[in-house]
Amino acid sequence: MFGWIHVSNLTKTLTPTLAAPRAALPPEGANFPRGGSSENSPPISPSPGRRAWQRFRRNRLGFYSLVVFCVLVLISLFAEVISNDKPLLVYYKYSSALGNNNAGYSHFYVPIVKDYPETLFGGDFETPTDYLDPFIQTKLSQDGNWAIYPLNRYGSKTLNYFAKSPNPSAPSRDNLFGTDDKGRDLLAQLIYGFRVSVLFALALTVIGVVLGVISGAIQGFYGGKMDLAFQRFIEIWGAMPELYLLIIFSAVFSPSLALLLILLSLFGWMGLSDYVRAEFLRNRQMDYVRSARALGVSNWHIITRHVLPNSMTPVVTFLPFRMSGAILALTSLDFLGLGVPPGTPSLGELLAQGKNSIDAWWISLSTFGVLVVTLLLLTFMGDALRDALDPRKADK
């Protein structure tokens, strides 16, 4: 009897407990949070790329160097809008005193896009309008006419025939950074020359990375005789005198950026290929590569989907340093007269002018400052990128 009472009391005690979960069940058709309950599920770990970006952002010097460099590149890409000898927009009202058929009418013109003859604004010749001419400036500022000019009213090839002092002239209100020995505005030369250097360095870096990754991947993945043959070819090719070849080709062909890009690309891939080769030699021995081979995956898919993504760390790390090396190479060749065609804005040409005109200190000082700032920004970015991609540095 005691046993029955004990069991019944136990049943009464457990009944509310067993019934509670049934009452706590969610209604039918309710949406469950993905991955389980938010209270019990573990926190989602960020991807390796996101962790690397977070480490890069924590390096303030490298991050702000990237921001400043991107701003400078963006400004140089819109150089025609910022520094140009042509107005961005002109509003001109024709006067009846000139006997023009359009007398009394007014029109909008966009000289930065299209050249207009001087006779359109009351001049005497059919030649393209020189908007630095005091006569044209007077015509565009009277009788309700107006024009919107860029911040710097000189282009990369603008020769100011109405300068107040001989060339090269010191910095003044008209030319904030002065002029070079040809009378061109130095600020415009620096803006356009910086754009040429950066775009050339970017193109040379992309070509060198593509060639270096392909050659390094072939050597490291296949190894054996393929690796041995590539190594002997690189030793022979690297022993060729690059500067002499540039001098010979510059004498045979007319100088151009395309010629420089081709010649420098022929030698710029060998350094990176060694790093990619070492990464492929290490990663091809990993278990995931052996498993892929056991499953019958082709070599192309193993290289592109498995080995290459895990071998890109040295490639990404060396990008800023390769760009700085390309900028220095172009500047050095321009300084020696083996670079861009005459008339093309160039930092190396400005350095050569500064060497030839010691008294014109503003030419050497401003050009040297642009080079130093550019190379420092790229160096800081490279250091931060190297630390961000270093697997030995744990997140703090």
Side-chain angles (χ1 to χ4, degrees):
M1 192 67 178
F2 177 79
W4 285 101
I5 296 174
H6 180 71
V7 172
S8 62
N9 292 336
L10 181 61
T11 304
K12 293 179 181 180
T13 305
L14 293 177
T15 299
T17 307
L18 296 174
R22 181 182 297 273
L25 291 175
E28 185 177 356
N31 294 326
F32 291 93
R34 191 172 183 179
S37 174
S38 59
E39 297 179 357
N40 300 327
S41 60
I44 301 176
S45 177
S47 63
R50 186 173 181 83
R51 289 199 300 267
W53 171 248
Q54 292 173 353
R55 288 195 295 267
F56 181 82
R57 290 197 62 177
R58 282 199 293 267
N59 191 324
R60 294 187 176 183
L61 186 59
F63 177 73
Y64 287 117
S65 297
L66 174 63
V67 173
V68 174
F69 183 77
C70 291
V71 170
L72 293 177
V73 173
L74 187 63
I75 291 175
S76 67
L77 292 178
F78 293 93
E80 286 79 7
V81 181
I82 298 174
S83 180
N84 205 322
D85 58 348
K86 300 176 182 178
L88 304 177
L89 183 65
V90 171
Y91 174 80
Y92 190 77
K93 184 185 298 184
Y94 295 99
S95 174
S96 59
L98 297 175
N100 198 306
N101 295 329
N102 296 326
Y105 291 94
S106 58
H107 294 276
F108 287 96
Y109 300 97
V110 188
I112 196 174
V113 177
K114 180 181 178 181
D115 289 331
Y116 299 100
E118 186 180 295
T119 54
L120 195 63
F121 304 109
D124 299 327
F125 305 100
E126 292 289 341
T127 57
T129 306
D130 184 3
Y131 297 94
L132 296 177
D133 189 344
F135 174 77
I136 298 298
Q137 293 183 2
T138 302
K139 297 293 292 184
L140 295 181
S141 60
Q142 66 182 7
D143 299 331
N145 304 327
W146 51 265
I148 300 177
Y149 292 92
L151 296 177
N152 186 41
R153 297 177 59 175
Y154 299 94
S156 60
K157 300 180 181 179
T158 303
L159 298 179
N160 188 5
Y161 298 103
F162 308 95
K164 301 177 183 178
S165 57
N167 300 314
S169 60
S172 62
R173 177 180 296 181
D174 295 332
N175 304 97
L176 297 180
F177 281 48
T179 62
D180 61 2
D181 57 1
K182 297 180 179 63
R184 299 173 299 184
D185 182 70
L186 193 57
L187 178 58
Q189 290 291 304
L190 293 175
I191 295 175
Y192 285 87
F194 175 81
R195 181 175 67 177
V196 171
S197 300
V198 170
L199 295 182
F200 178 84
L202 184 61
L204 185 61
T205 301
V206 170
I207 296 175
V209 166
V210 172
L211 295 178
V213 168
I214 292 175
S215 62
I218 294 175
Q219 297 175 71
F221 185 79
Y222 292 100
K225 295 181 179 179
M226 181 73 71
D227 184 24
L228 186 63
F230 260 95
Q231 286 296 303
R232 300 293 80 78
F233 170 76
I234 291 177
E235 290 176 359
I236 298 173
W237 190 254
M240 298 182 66
E242 182 179 356
L243 183 58
Y244 290 161
L245 289 177
L246 288 171
I247 295 175
I248 294 173
F249 280 99
S250 298
V252 175
F253 301 99
S254 59
S256 64
L257 283 174
L259 179 62
L260 280 178
L261 190 62
I262 294 174
L263 292 177
L264 293 179
S265 299
L266 293 176
F267 300 91
W269 57 271
M270 292 180 290
L272 184 62
S273 67
D274 294 335
Y275 291 97
V276 178
R277 170 181 172 269
E279 290 293 320
F280 267 75
L281 287 173
R282 180 178 62 88
N283 290 328
R284 72 170 186 169
Q285 304 296 334
M286 296 296 179
D287 292 336
Y288 63 86
V289 176
R290 296 178 179 176
S291 301
R293 283 175 172 169
L295 292 174
V297 181
S298 63
N299 291 334
W300 171 254
H301 285 84
I302 293 177
I303 292 175
T304 56
R305 295 187 179 182
H306 301 288
V307 184
L308 183 59
N310 293 294
S311 305
M312 291 299 291
T313 298
V315 177
V316 178
T317 303
F318 275 89
L319 286 179
F321 300 106
R322 291 185 63 84
M323 283 196 64
S324 61
I327 291 176
L328 281 177
L330 179 62
T331 304
S332 303
L333 292 175
D334 290 339
F335 182 82
L336 297 175
L338 304 174
V340 297
T344 305
S346 168
L347 299 179
E349 182 194 0
L350 292 177
L351 288 178
Q353 290 187 22
K355 179 183 72 69
N356 297 329
S357 304
I358 301 298
D359 295 336
W361 53 267
W362 53 89
I363 300 178
S364 301
L365 184 62
S366 57
T367 308
F368 183 74
V370 171
L371 277 175
V372 168
V373 170
T374 303
L375 298 180
L376 279 178
L377 292 176
L378 290 172
T379 302
F380 293 150
M381 290 162 51
D383 291 339
L385 197 58
R386 180 188 58 196
D387 295 339
L389 297 176
D390 190 351
R392 295 171 296 181
K393 292 184 178 292
D395 294 334
K396 297 181 180 180

